[in-house]
Amino acid sequence: MEDKIFTPAQVADRLQVAEKTVYRWLDSGKLKGVKLGRLWRIREEKLEEFLQKNTPE
């Protein structure tokens, strides 16, 4: 099974928020990602967890 991996720009586009907002979520730990040097990458499963925790029911 292959994990999908997104850039902050792809996450911002998908959620229709500013890219800066995604970086704030990553820096605060609200959204889990992996930092490779200066670049962030977000696994699809971590994005789904973030959405489940932060979506009003």
Side-chain angles (χ1 to χ4, degrees):
M1 187 164 109
E2 190 175 317
D3 286 337
K4 286 188 181 177
I5 298 177
F6 300 105
T7 65
Q10 290 171 319
V11 172
D13 187 51
R14 182 173 174 181
L15 301 181
Q16 297 183 346
V17 298
E19 194 172 338
K20 204 172 218 180
T21 301
V22 176
Y23 281 109
R24 266 189 259 134
W25 291 337
L26 288 164
D27 287 335
S28 71
K30 195 172 185 181
L31 173 60
K32 303 294 181 197
V34 176
K35 195 166 188 184
L36 305 168
R38 292 175 33 186
L39 304 174
W40 282 98
R41 295 295 179 258
I42 301 102
R43 289 180 182 257
E44 184 175 35
E45 72 179 48
K46 296 299 182 186
L47 178 57
E48 293 302 324
E49 286 175 18
F50 171 79
L51 292 174
Q52 287 177 2
K53 287 181 184 177
N54 295 290
T55 302
E57 294 180 21

